[in-house]
Amino acid sequence: MKSLFEKSNYDEILARIDTLKESDTGNWGKMTVGQMVWHCQVPLDVAIKNKPNNKTGNILIKWFFKKSLYNEKPWRKNLPTSSFAKAKEEKDFENERAILREMVTAFYQLKDRTTWNPHPLFGVFTHDQWGAMQYKHLDHHLHQFGV
């Protein structure tokens, strides 16, 4: 699985983000391109902040979905979005894209981090799983918008 911790993948993701245009429409789903770039910031924020938490997450969610977050199999289209990561209003595309680029870079710079707190919903991930999960999420949504 590709990882956002690998320089070539990091460069690829930034180049794909740069090719997005405000006029782009999704090949599936209901998000606008501005909402999508905002949405893509949410899991990066969780990883970057690396806040300790006492949540154990939902055992069924972990069992059914956790491995799909970082394995080789592409996600299917129109997966449901968690309410906290769903954009409820329109977002300023250029501003949100700039923030996303900064967050992708901030995450990439964590490539040498050795200690990760558990994810608040899915629990413990290895370093490699964090990198793969972030790449896979970004790749999924960039494909959604044709880049």
Side-chain angles (χ1 to χ4, degrees):
M1 180 67 213
K2 289 186 173 185
S3 170
L4 196 54
F5 290 135
E6 294 172 19
K7 177 80 165 99
S8 61
N9 298 327
Y10 161 73
D11 290 339
E12 170 210 326
I13 290 293
L14 287 182
R16 290 168 67 191
I17 290 169
D18 287 345
T19 65
L20 289 168
K21 298 180 292 302
E22 191 165 7
S23 60
D24 288 342
T25 57
N27 295 315
W28 68 84
K30 298 177 183 175
M31 288 190 283
T32 66
V33 69
Q35 290 170 327
M36 180 274 287
V37 293
W38 175 87
H39 165 82
C40 285
Q41 297 168 25
V42 175
L44 288 164
D45 189 56
V46 169
I48 292 165
K49 288 183 178 170
N50 197 35
K51 291 182 179 178
N53 69 76
N54 296 327
K55 297 179 183 177
T56 58
N58 182 312
I59 262 317
L60 287 176
I61 289 174
K62 283 186 203 178
W63 192 75
F64 282 115
F65 300 109
K66 185 174 179 179
K67 286 184 181 176
S68 73
L69 295 176
Y70 53 81
N71 66 14
E72 294 284 343
K73 185 178 177 185
W75 291 342
R76 66 179 172 83
K77 299 171 183 174
N78 295 310
L79 288 170
T81 301
S82 300
S83 61
F84 71 90
K86 190 178 286 190
K88 294 166 182 62
E89 67 278 332
E90 189 49 54
K91 301 293 182 180
D92 179 279
F93 168 70
E94 291 296 341
N95 182 58
E96 298 301 336
R97 178 169 60 172
I99 293 169
L100 179 59
R101 286 185 101 271
E102 290 171 7
M103 293 182 84
V104 166
T105 297
F107 181 82
Y108 171 74
Q109 291 171 342
L110 298 173
K111 62 187 175 297
D112 296 322
R113 179 189 273 174
T114 57
T115 304
W116 294 85
N117 284 311
H119 187 280
L121 185 59
F122 295 103
V124 175
F125 287 109
T126 67
H127 179 80
D128 291 342
Q129 290 167 344
W130 277 105
M133 176 175 57
Q134 297 298 338
Y135 178 88
K136 189 171 182 178
H137 184 246
L138 290 163
D139 180 63
H140 172 78
H141 287 294
L142 291 169
H143 278 295
Q144 179 184 6
F145 282 82
V147 298

